């Protein structure tokens, strides 16, 4: 029997607000332990939560970008459990009435096919602190409550995902969108995005759902795929050998690439949810919703479509350009300032500028090169002031290093293209003297060999001129000189 | 004791005229506390040295200040129920689990009182975490009633009420979840006001049942209650349940104009379980109102009979949640020996909480569990809505409602401790008010044949503290009772 998997993901995303969700403590990663805390996020007796409006706005922004319906009336609830990093012994979250429901995102598989993954609900909640266990012989555990009260949204998908690869693509797409709209920093390593996966198997084509397991702690794109691959394989083995999958929570061991039982259904906690009496229901009125909508930028899919339509670039290039909002903006500005084909802009950014920035360990958002400079650079090539090769190999790296305009670099370094025919002829003559073999090949060879020889000689002239010779002219002049000599 | 009998307004005037210095008031108060505490046990903590330092500073400041620069509470020492945070002062909530907890911050009400010049002299005894009606569940021992030291002062704000009654406090703040200000005020013969839910910020009040708790004054007179309410009221950006609504001048509105008002007398409040003398004294006060031109109308609040049951589902549910934070991890008592984390939690809470608190945590945990939530908590919330609507209907016909505060006068220490249900029923007349979020005031309206005070409750429309204070003030003046206890 063949099996298929049914997968749903629960993704926790931290919101990039200045302050925490229920107090005015700073929301930042990496501060010394227990420094960003106050009576509220420490759960001191008598302290009360007050909802951070910015957190609501970020959450709604995310929900709109994920095509959700915004519930104008939603309710916070308390979820109870005891753990040292949960100061109040309950987490303030949303339960029966979340603020957003019924959304979707579209993923594109490597073969180009697209698939919609539905989002069941998104709710707002507070993060817990961190428990750190002592290393080596230290028997103590330590609690850092800086993270307690960080605003989170939990995005719950429908079980529309069928393969580990789709799960990874969904997670990546989610990350790209949240980073794009500026509500999350996309940093999985620091826990800004965390993923739990629910997975079950069933005979291929069946519409019944099997018993699912939940995998916790899959915190990289690679691990999501690996953990699911392992878990699906494991469930199939259990069923094939006549056993039954047990409903349980499992933990992914990234070192060994396996999942292990964490707790069974019987051990599952009763969270005793009830409406949070300290917070009135969250009401999002028309005016507020409209102002949030207005602040939402054009989304990556829309931008991609527009780039293909308006700038005539390939789908492949567009995909790369919309992976980062700053990059897309950079491209568009450069393209707008350039009189030639935008395709060339896309090409030089993707194949040269990004590499050069990478060499200097810079993000596009930190680029010393202005979009206008890229346009100017391409104009210089078009006007045959410099060759494309010089532009790519000499000028771009220098622009990244110094942030200077291309024209200034060209002049400073004397990189102006040699288009003077007599000057070029002199250089060609010199090159011919040093390359008798090629000359001989040209004279004695057939058409194909002639072409090969010319090509070789162009390369030699380029070498001699450090790429400054006008390649178009060389194409005419080399055969001409060969005939003359 | 002369100064301690004065009203807040009188003390403020004496200070303004510089006829009395803050240290004089404080020393008189500290002497009275030393004299009465061995008998009453109304305080858990007396911050003698701190208060003395503040009073000395106030003395010096006073020399420099002009009459109109002196705020309402300048140099006046107040006491506070020990479940409200006062910065750098121990706050125990009368529990072993917080025996050594020092508050890291001021509650909003404390901040407001401080801004008006108040000095804090100590923290009053209460039932552990305000759970009780007699102040007997305190880890620090029961408070005694100044009218009869064999009897309870009521609860949970029993320490505040006993101290104000015995003049070992000038005025105090209590908290009221199901009657915890009004019932002890009645049993001790003082004034207790529970404001409308949302009128006063709860920030800094240790939560018992968040949707019911409200801070309010316990004072010698109605005027003093209005005086303090003026200062502690108002929307607070730190309490999302506090309400943005104008705060009238409650003092200025004590204008004695009650003629033509309509009072409702709920028939359900004068039947079973009520002591004849309590009924008698309350009805005498009602007669008085009638003679002053108030129209009396019998009304019905049919759903009040479910109030106690409803309360004992909602309050413990919220309490079980609110008390989870006392877990031994950060600032509470922690058990000495434990094997692992779970063991630490269990032992800490088993050793740290008293029986009544544990009982309510267990009830609350049970009613919130999966499978029981709908049958208990959700249903109780629906009944709560009906109780609220019952009051709404009544307030279409009347301006305020008059009832007894407690079915009995002060009972004997130990009399009800073995029977929680009997104890719970002593709040039968006060609980519905919290469920509906309404304001209500308790004032003395006479004494029984054992010379124990009887309380009268006046319930108002939401945010209409003005009317109930005004009516209470008139009755207080008309009855002109001697409310100084023998202690
Ligand atoms: Zn904080």
């Amino acid at each position: 029997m063949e099996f298929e998997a049914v997968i749903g993901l629960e993704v926790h995303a931290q919101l990039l607000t200045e302050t925490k969700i229920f107090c005015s403590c700073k929301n930042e990663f990496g501060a010394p332990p227990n420094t960003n805390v106050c009576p509220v996020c420490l759960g001191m007796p008598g302290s009360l939560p007050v909802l951070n409006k910015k957190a609501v706005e970020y959450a709604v922004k995310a929900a709109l970008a994920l095509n959700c319906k915004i519930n104008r009336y939603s309710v916070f609830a308390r979820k109870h459990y005891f753990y040292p990093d949960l100061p109040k012994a309950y987490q303030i979250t949303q339960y029966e009435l979340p603020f957003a429901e019924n959304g979707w995102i579209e993923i594109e598989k490597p073969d180009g096919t697209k698939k919609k993954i539905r989002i069941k609900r998104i709710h707002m909640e507070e993060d817990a602190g961190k428990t750190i266990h002592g290393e080596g012989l230290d028997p103590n555990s330590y609690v850092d409550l800086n993270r307690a009260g960080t605003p989170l949204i939990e995005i719950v998908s429908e079980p529309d995902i069928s393969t580990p690869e789709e799960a990874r693509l969904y997670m990546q797409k989610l990350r790209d969108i949240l980073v794009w709209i500026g509500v999350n920093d996309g940093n999985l390593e620091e826990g800004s995005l965390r993923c739990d996966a629910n997975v079950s198997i069933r005979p291929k084509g069946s519409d019944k759902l099997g018993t699912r397991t939940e995998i916790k702690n899959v915190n990289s794109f690679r691990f999501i795929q690996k953990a699911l691959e392992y878990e699906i394989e494991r469930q199939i083995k259990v069923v094939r050998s006549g056993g039954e999958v047990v409903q349980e929570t499992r933990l992914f061991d990234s070192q060994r690439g396996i999942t292990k039982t964490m707790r069974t259904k019987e051990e599952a906690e009763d969270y005793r949810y009830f409406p949070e009496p300290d917070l009135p229901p969250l009401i999002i009125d028309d005016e507020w919703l409209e102002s949030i909508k207005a602040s939402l930028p054009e989304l990556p899919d829309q931008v991609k479509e527009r780039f293909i339509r308006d700038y005539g670039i390939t789908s492949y290039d567009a995909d790369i350009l919309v992976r980062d909002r700053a990059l897309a903006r950079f491209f568009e500005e450069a393209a707008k300032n350039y009189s030639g084909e935008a395709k060339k802009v896309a090409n030089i950014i993707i194949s040269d500028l990004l590499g050069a920035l990478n060499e200097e360990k810079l993000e596009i958002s930190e680029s010393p090169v202005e979009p206008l400079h890229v346009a100017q650079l391409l104009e210089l090539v078009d006007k045959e002031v410099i060759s494309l090769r010089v532009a790519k190999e000499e000028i771009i790296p220098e622009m990244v290093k110094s942030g200077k305009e291309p024209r200034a670099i060209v002049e400073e370094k004397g990189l102006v293209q040699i288009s003077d025919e007599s000057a070029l002829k002199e250089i060609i003559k010199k090159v011919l003297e040093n390359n008798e073999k090629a000359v001989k090949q040209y004279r004695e060879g057939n058409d194909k060999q002639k072409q090969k020889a010319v090509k070789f000689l162009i390369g030699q002239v380029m070498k001699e001129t450090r790429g400054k010779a006008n390649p178009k002219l060389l194409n005419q002049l080399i055969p001409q000189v060969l005939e003359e000599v | 004791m002369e100064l301690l009998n004065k009203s807040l307004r009188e003390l403020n005037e004496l200070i303004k005229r510089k006829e009395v210095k803050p240290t004089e008031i404080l020393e008189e108060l500290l002497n009275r506390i030393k004299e009465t505490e061995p008998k009453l046990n109304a305080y858990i903590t007396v911050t003698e040295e701190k208060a003395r330092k503040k009073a000395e500073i106030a003395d010096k400041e006073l020399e420099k200040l002009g009459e109109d620069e002196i705020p309402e509470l300048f140099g006046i020492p107040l006491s506070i129920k020990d479940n409200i945070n006062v910065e750098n002062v121990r706050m125990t909530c009368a529990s072993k689990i917080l025996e050594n907890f020092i508050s890291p911050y001021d509650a909003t009400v404390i901040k407001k009182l401080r801004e008006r010049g108040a000095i804090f002299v100590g923290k009053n005894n209460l039932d552990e975490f305000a759970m009780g009606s007699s102040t007997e569940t305190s880890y620090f021992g029961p408070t005694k009633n100044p009218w009869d030291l064999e009897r309870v002062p009521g609860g949970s704000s029993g320490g505040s009420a006993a101290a104000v009654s015995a003049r070992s406090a000038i005025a105090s703040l209590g908290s009221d979840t199901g009657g915890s200000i009004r019932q002890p005020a009645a049993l001790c013969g003082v004034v207790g006001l529970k404001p409308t839910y949302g009128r006063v910020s709860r920030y800094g009040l240790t939560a018992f049942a968040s949707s019911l708790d409200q801070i309010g004054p316990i004072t010698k007179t109605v005027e003093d209650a209005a005086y303090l309410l003026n200062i502690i009221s108002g929307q607070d950006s730190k309490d999302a349940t506090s309400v943005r609504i104008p705060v009238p001048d409650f003092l200025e509105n004590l204008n004695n104009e009650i003629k033509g008002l309509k009072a409702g007398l709920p028939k359900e409040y004068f039947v079973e379980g009520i002591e004849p003398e309590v009924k008698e004294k309350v009805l005498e006060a009602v007669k008085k109102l009638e003679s002053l031109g108030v129209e009396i109308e019998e009304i019905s609040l049919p759903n009040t009979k479910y109030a106690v049951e409803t309360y004992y589902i909602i309050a413990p549910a919220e309490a079980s949640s609110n008390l989870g934070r006392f877990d031994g991890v950060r600032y509470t008592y922690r058990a000495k020996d434990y094997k692992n984390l779970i063991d630490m939690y269990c032992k800490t809470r088993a050793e740290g909480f008293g029986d009544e608190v544990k009982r309510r945590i267990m009830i609350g945990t049970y009613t919130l569990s999966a499978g029981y939530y709908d049958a208990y908590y959700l249903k109780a919330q629906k009944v709560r809505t009906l109780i609220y609507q019952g009051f709404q209907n009544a307030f279409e016909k009347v301006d305020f409602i008059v009832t007894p505060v407690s079915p009995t006068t002060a009972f004997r220490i130990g009399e009800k401790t073995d029977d929680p249900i009997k104890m719970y029923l002593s709040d039968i007349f006060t609980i519905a008010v919290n469920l509906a979020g309404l304001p209500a005031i308790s004032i003395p309206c006479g004494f029984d044949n054992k010379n124990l005070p009887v309380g009268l409750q006046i319930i108002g429309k939401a945010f209409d503290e003005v009317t109930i204070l005004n009516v209470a003030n008139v009755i207080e003046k008309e009855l002109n009772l001697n409310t100084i206890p023998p202690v």
Side-chain angles (χ1 to χ4, degrees):
Chain A
M1 200 188 335
E2 280 235 54
F3 288 92
E4 63 180 10
V6 179
I7 302 164
L9 297 187
E10 289 166 16
V11 178
H12 287 88
Q14 290 182 340
L15 300 178
L16 275 175
T17 50
E18 294 275 316
T19 56
K20 294 185 181 182
I21 185 166
F22 296 125
C23 62
S24 47
C25 289
K26 251 204 223 157
N27 173 27
E28 63 176 349
F29 183 83
N34 298 309
T35 50
N36 288 334
V37 292
C38 72
V40 176
C41 55
L42 289 174
M44 286 290 179
S47 65
L48 295 171
V50 175
L51 181 60
N52 177 349
K53 278 202 151 188
K54 261 272 144 17
V56 177
E57 287 172 13
Y58 279 29
V60 170
K61 233 170 148 173
L64 289 170
L66 302 175
N67 305 297
C68 286
K69 174 182 152 269
I70 306 298
N71 291 333
R72 303 312 189 82
Y73 178 95
S74 64
V75 170
F76 286 94
R78 292 183 182 178
K79 176 183 180 177
H80 299 85
Y81 63 95
F82 283 96
Y83 204 67
D85 59 25
L86 190 71
K88 300 187 293 294
Y90 57 82
Q91 176 195 30
I92 303 177
T93 177
Q94 295 190 306
Y95 184 54
E96 281 178 331
L97 294 166
F99 81 97
E101 287 173 289
N102 301 332
W104 53 267
I105 57 173
E106 197 171 59
I107 56 169
E108 190 173 333
K109 291 192 255 185
D111 66 3
T113 56
K114 289 178 177 174
K115 182 173 177 178
K116 248 183 201 177
I117 311 289
R118 288 171 303 155
I119 289 162
K120 187 181 168 132
R121 58 180 273 158
I122 307 179
H123 62 257
M124 251 176 274
E125 60 188 25
E126 58 178 336
D127 210 341
K130 266 185 199 159
T131 305
I132 300 136
H133 299 291
E135 282 171 34
L137 293 174
D138 181 357
N140 297 316
S141 291
Y142 302 88
V143 179
D144 177 6
L145 294 173
N146 282 347
R147 200 180 69 176
T150 296
L152 290 179
I153 47 173
E154 181 174 339
I155 304 157
V156 182
S157 85
E158 293 284 0
D160 289 351
I161 301 164
S162 321
T163 66
E165 184 189 48
E166 283 178 20
R168 176 177 56 78
L169 291 169
Y170 167 84
M171 184 72 182
Q172 277 170 337
K173 186 66 182 264
L174 211 54
R175 176 195 179 274
D176 289 348
I177 293 172
L178 296 179
V179 171
W180 181 277
I181 61 173
V183 302
N184 180 276
D185 67 11
N187 198 330
L188 275 72
E189 264 164 46
E190 289 176 3
S192 313
L193 269 171
R194 310 195 284 270
C195 174
D196 301 334
N198 287 298
V199 57
S200 62
I201 54 157
R202 64 184 175 194
K204 206 165 192 156
S206 161
D207 54 6
K208 259 177 61 187
L209 288 171
T211 304
R212 67 189 166 89
T213 58
E214 183 180 7
I215 316 169
K216 290 258 179 211
N217 196 27
V218 273
N219 294 331
S220 83
F221 296 123
R222 203 160 55 88
F223 291 165
I224 290 163
Q225 187 159 346
K226 280 188 83 175
L228 283 166
E229 278 163 2
Y230 175 87
E231 179 60 15
I232 292 165
E233 203 52 41
R234 188 192 70 83
Q235 290 189 12
I236 291 174
K237 262 185 210 155
V238 169
V239 173
R240 284 231 167 98
S241 62
E244 262 180 47
V245 175
V246 183
Q247 186 176 341
E248 61 185 358
T249 304
R250 300 178 69 85
L251 204 63
F252 180 60
D253 178 342
S254 56
Q255 304 241 302
R256 293 163 65 195
I258 63 167
T259 65
K260 294 179 296 194
T261 299
M262 189 171 132
R263 58 169 179 257
T264 61
K265 192 187 170 191
E266 286 70 35
E267 295 165 316
E269 283 184 78
D270 179 354
Y271 293 123
R272 295 179 283 119
Y273 286 100
F274 82 106
E276 166 58 282
D278 288 333
L279 291 169
L282 170 60
I283 292 163
I284 300 167
D285 61 19
D286 287 351
E287 202 185 331
W288 200 13
L289 184 59
E290 285 312 313
S291 77
I292 299 170
K293 265 186 193 160
S295 73
L296 197 67
E298 200 183 7
L299 295 172
D301 282 355
Q302 298 163 333
V303 175
K304 180 186 165 187
E305 246 174 68
R306 196 165 55 77
F307 279 3
I308 295 170
R309 192 182 61 227
D310 294 357
Y311 294 101
I313 63 174
T314 62
S315 167
Y316 181 85
D317 283 355
D319 256 336
I320 296 172
L321 291 174
V322 302
R323 201 155 289 164
D324 182 333
R325 193 164 152 208
L327 180 59
R329 233 188 272 152
F330 191 100
F331 161 74
E332 185 152 33
E333 211 182 319
K336 273 186 186 155
N337 282 293
Y338 177 54
S339 59
E341 284 181 357
K343 246 173 115 163
K344 289 193 204 157
V345 179
N347 186 298
I348 201 162
I349 291 174
I350 293 168
S351 49
D352 303 291
L353 179 62
L354 290 181
L357 286 170
N358 201 29
E359 289 269 297
E360 301 293 318
K361 306 234 174 335
L362 290 171
E363 297 285 328
I364 187 78
S365 55
E366 310 159 309
S367 169
V369 180
E370 308 265 330
L372 179 65
H373 296 165
V374 172
Q376 288 170 345
L377 179 65
L378 288 170
E379 301 281 358
L380 289 176
V381 176
D382 290 347
K383 287 185 190 133
E384 298 186 357
V385 177
I386 52 171
S387 69
L388 186 61
R389 186 174 147 187
V390 166
K392 283 164 167 266
E393 290 175 7
E394 304 264 347
I395 301 182
I396 290 231
E398 188 53 34
M399 281 162 79
V400 167
K401 277 196 195 102
S402 67
K404 284 183 187 157
E405 281 183 33
R407 165 75 66 182
I409 296 168
V410 168
E411 276 162 15
E412 240 171 60
K413 294 194 140 191
L415 294 171
V416 178
Q417 184 161 267
I418 306 167
S419 300
D420 180 89
E421 282 194 24
S422 57
L424 278 176
K425 275 186 180 166
E426 282 312 304
I427 298 165
I428 292 167
K429 276 179 195 154
K430 211 169 113 198
V431 166
L432 294 187
E433 272 166 32
N434 293 330
N435 289 284
E436 281 172 18
K437 222 174 146 189
V439 175
K440 199 173 167 210
Q441 190 186 357
Y442 181 87
R443 298 250 161 81
E444 291 167 9
N446 56 24
D447 278 1
K448 209 175 165 193
Q449 282 163 328
K450 277 191 196 327
Q451 265 175 29
K452 226 175 150 187
V454 171
K455 215 173 183 181
F456 172 78
L457 289 166
I458 289 176
Q460 292 306 303
V461 177
M462 280 296 186
K463 212 171 166 186
E464 185 67 29
T465 60
R466 283 178 31 242
K468 288 187 291 183
N470 182 332
K472 259 197 241 157
L473 273 177
L474 285 186
N475 251 326
Q476 297 170 25
L477 292 179
I478 288 178
Q480 210 177 308
V481 177
L482 279 164
E483 297 300 330
E484 279 170 17
V485 176
Chain B
M1 232 179 74
E2 197 204 334
L3 286 173
L4 304 180
N5 268 323
K6 303 245 179 267
S7 74
L8 292 170
R9 197 208 290 259
E10 286 166 342
L11 286 174
N12 183 237
E13 272 159 16
L14 285 172
I15 289 175
K16 274 183 168 177
R17 292 200 302 266
K18 309 197 180 175
E19 286 171 24
V20 165
K21 281 197 280 187
T23 47
E24 290 173 57
I25 304 175
L26 181 71
E27 291 309 324
E28 197 171 317
L29 179 63
L30 288 171
N31 283 337
R32 179 64 182 159
I33 291 173
K34 272 178 201 139
E35 186 187 339
T36 52
E37 269 311 275
K39 295 174 213 160
L40 294 180
N41 192 32
Y43 284 84
I44 291 174
T45 305
V46 178
T47 49
E48 188 174 336
E49 282 318 307
K50 269 193 171 143
R52 199 166 267 141
K53 263 185 207 148
K54 291 265 161 144
E56 281 161 9
I57 293 169
D59 277 5
K60 279 183 199 135
E61 268 181 56
L62 185 61
E63 289 168 18
K64 291 177 244 158
L65 291 174
E67 199 180 315
D68 50 1
E69 291 173 299
I70 295 167
E72 300 94 307
L73 293 171
F74 186 87
I76 299 180
L78 300 176
S79 72
I80 304 293
K81 187 179 183 179
D82 201 20
N83 60 350
I84 298 173
N85 283 276
V86 178
E87 194 178 344
N88 291 329
V89 174
R90 180 169 78 138
M91 181 184 71
T92 67
C93 295
S95 180
K96 182 183 178 183
I97 211 158
L98 287 178
E99 191 175 359
N100 298 309
F101 176 74
I102 306 294
S103 290
Y105 71 105
D106 270 343
T108 297
V109 289
I110 298 302
K111 210 171 139 249
K112 289 186 166 194
L113 295 174
R114 234 190 251 289
E115 279 164 9
R116 309 317 298 160
I119 291 170
F120 300 101
V121 73
K123 305 294 289 289
N124 291 118
N125 202 1
L126 65 151
D127 281 294
E128 186 179 2
F129 285 105
M131 295 176 189
S133 312
S134 65
T135 318
E136 289 168 292
T137 69
S138 169
Y139 174 66
F140 299 90
T143 296
K144 318 282 169 53
N145 191 314
W147 293 88
D148 179 347
L149 297 175
E150 306 282 298
R151 291 176 188 268
V152 303
S156 64
S157 314
S160 294
V164 171
S165 166
R167 290 3 185 200
S168 64
I170 287 168
S172 184
L173 288 188
S175 68
D176 192 316
T177 307
S180 280
I181 286 175
R182 291 158 290 158
Q183 186 257 17
L187 269 47
C188 291
V190 294
V191 174
L193 172 69
K194 182 203 100 71
T196 311
Y197 186 80
R199 174 65 94 189
V200 176
S201 169
R202 292 187 293 119
Y203 187 77
L205 165 66
T206 306
F208 159 14
S210 315
S211 72
L212 301 161
D213 298 341
Q214 190 67 191
I215 294 173
I218 294 179
T219 52
K220 297 188 288 276
T221 63
V222 174
E223 188 199 74
D224 277 0
Y227 199 91
L228 287 183
L229 188 63
N230 264 356
I231 295 165
I232 62 173
S233 292
Q235 201 257 350
D236 177 15
S237 61
K238 287 184 166 143
D239 175 2
T241 64
S242 67
V243 178
R244 189 179 292 279
I245 190 168
V247 180
D249 188 329
F250 299 107
L251 263 183
E252 216 159 74
N253 278 293
L254 294 181
N255 55 18
N256 303 325
E257 286 167 19
I258 62 165
K259 208 174 167 181
L261 289 178
K262 280 187 185 165
L265 217 55
K267 57 181 182 200
E268 292 85 357
Y269 281 64
F270 292 90
V271 280
E272 45 189 308
I274 183 168
E275 277 177 4
E277 277 179 292
V278 168
K279 187 173 168 180
E280 195 187 302
K281 293 294 162 195
V282 170
L283 290 177
E284 269 175 39
V286 171
K287 281 253 161 59
K288 198 113 226 172
L289 282 174
E290 204 168 8
S291 73
L292 294 167
V294 171
E295 227 177 280
I296 311 292
E297 192 173 323
E298 189 184 77
I299 57 163
S300 172
L301 294 167
N303 293 311
T304 346
K305 60 173 177 283
Y306 305 117
V308 173
E309 287 91 331
T310 305
Y311 177 87
Y312 277 99
I313 290 169
I314 292 172
E318 293 182 7
S320 72
S321 170
N322 286 327
L323 270 59
R325 70 190 65 198
F326 306 116
D327 58 3
V329 175
R330 286 148 300 139
Y331 48 77
T332 61
Y333 165 81
R334 184 188 292 177
K336 299 284 164 298
D337 300 304
Y338 46 86
K339 292 195 288 282
N340 52 38
L341 182 65
I342 301 287
D343 196 37
M344 188 280 283
Y345 283 144
C346 292
K347 284 192 174 136
T348 294
R349 289 166 68 83
E351 294 165 18
F353 289 135
D355 286 350
E356 184 58 30
V357 171
K358 282 183 205 160
R359 182 178 296 125
R360 298 201 196 192
I361 290 175
M362 284 189 274
I363 294 171
T365 305
Y366 177 80
T367 56
L368 287 179
S369 326
Y372 297 99
Y373 176 81
D374 288 2
Y376 292 108
Y377 190 79
L378 210 59
K379 199 163 197 177
Q381 286 293 8
K382 286 178 186 159
V383 179
R384 182 176 184 178
T385 308
L386 293 177
I387 290 170
Y388 172 76
Q389 281 164 356
F391 277 109
Q392 289 291 98
N393 295 340
F395 280 124
E396 279 172 20
K397 288 178 274 177
V398 300
D399 300 300
F400 60 93
I401 294 168
V402 181
T403 78
V405 179
S406 171
T408 68
T409 52
F411 45 92
R412 289 185 176 280
I413 291 170
E415 190 181 321
K416 296 185 182 179
T417 39
D418 293 335
D419 189 348
I421 303 290
K422 220 168 154 190
M423 186 73 91
Y424 296 169
L425 286 174
S426 65
D427 292 333
I428 191 160
F429 299 143
T430 48
I431 271 175
V433 169
N434 297 77
L435 291 169
L438 301 172
I441 191 167
S442 164
I443 57 165
C445 67
F447 295 86
D448 68 2
N449 58 15
K450 297 187 271 309
N451 199 35
L452 295 171
V454 175
L456 174 81
Q457 175 171 240
I458 306 166
I459 306 167
K461 296 175 187 171
F463 296 102
D464 187 17
E465 288 88 355
V466 163
T467 300
I468 59 171
L469 281 163
N470 204 15
V471 172
N473 190 44
V474 170
I475 299 174
E476 182 185 74
K477 297 265 149 55
E478 281 295 319
L479 295 175
N480 194 23
L481 301 166
N482 174 18
T483 54
I484 301 181
V487 72

